[in-house]
Amino acid sequence: MVLLFSWIMVFMTGTWGGLTQIDGRMLLFLALSGLATGASWLCYFHALQKGDINKVVPIDKSSIVLSILLALIFFREGITGAKIVSVLLIGIGTMMMITKKDIETDSGEKSSGRRSVDYGGDSSAGDYLKSV
């Protein structure tokens, strides 16, 4: 999917002329990035199948905070008040989702928020993800 949308963006922006400038090393890193993305998706869907959705999704989304912090440390990106507030709000929201308490439904039953996830039913990709 990433490769497909990448090609769509190349043709939409009219930058296909720059494709000849891609050397072997860059092509290798693009391929490795694609493989890492695919592996990440498979692990994410597997975690959704096995774990509590209310804990899996926030942990996955907390990677935004980690990315910002790593950019500050390793790339010496500037820090502004807006970035600080954004990181704090994302972090607080993530913690609130992870520590979410059981809720009581209208029928008086307790619910932990765990839901089953449907991966597409009839599709071969959905069948594969269900088997993982």
Side-chain angles (χ1 to χ4, degrees):
M1 288 304 289
V2 173
L3 184 62
L4 173 69
F5 283 107
S6 297
W7 279 110
I8 289 171
M9 290 305 297
V10 164
F11 289 111
M12 284 177 54
T13 59
T15 56
W16 55 84
L19 294 177
T20 58
Q21 297 173 353
I22 297 176
D23 62 357
R25 185 169 186 250
M26 189 180 295
L27 193 58
L28 172 68
F29 281 108
L30 285 171
L32 290 173
S33 174
L35 290 172
T37 300
S40 170
W41 285 358
L42 288 175
C43 291
Y44 179 68
F45 289 127
H46 184 71
L48 284 175
Q49 271 185 326
K50 300 291 181 189
D52 183 358
I53 192 169
N54 293 318
K55 290 191 175 25
V56 172
V57 173
I59 290 170
D60 174 62
K61 299 308 171 197
S62 67
S63 65
I64 296 169
V65 173
L66 180 63
S67 297
I68 292 170
L69 293 176
L70 290 175
L72 290 171
I73 294 167
F74 293 110
F75 299 131
R76 308 271 191 247
E77 285 199 10
I79 188 160
T80 63
K83 280 186 187 177
I84 293 171
V85 169
S86 300
V87 168
L88 288 174
L89 288 174
I90 293 170
I92 291 168
T94 301
M95 287 308 299
M96 288 174 66
M97 287 190 288
I98 291 172
T99 59
K100 180 179 168 259
K101 303 292 181 209
D102 287 344
I103 56 173
E104 208 170 299
T105 63
D106 291 339
S107 62
E109 299 174 359
K110 287 253 181 187
S111 169
S112 65
R114 185 175 170 95
R115 298 182 188 115
S116 64
V117 179
D118 184 12
Y119 294 110
D122 296 333
S123 72
S124 59
D127 291 340
Y128 172 74
L129 290 173
K130 286 178 185 176
S131 70
V132 174

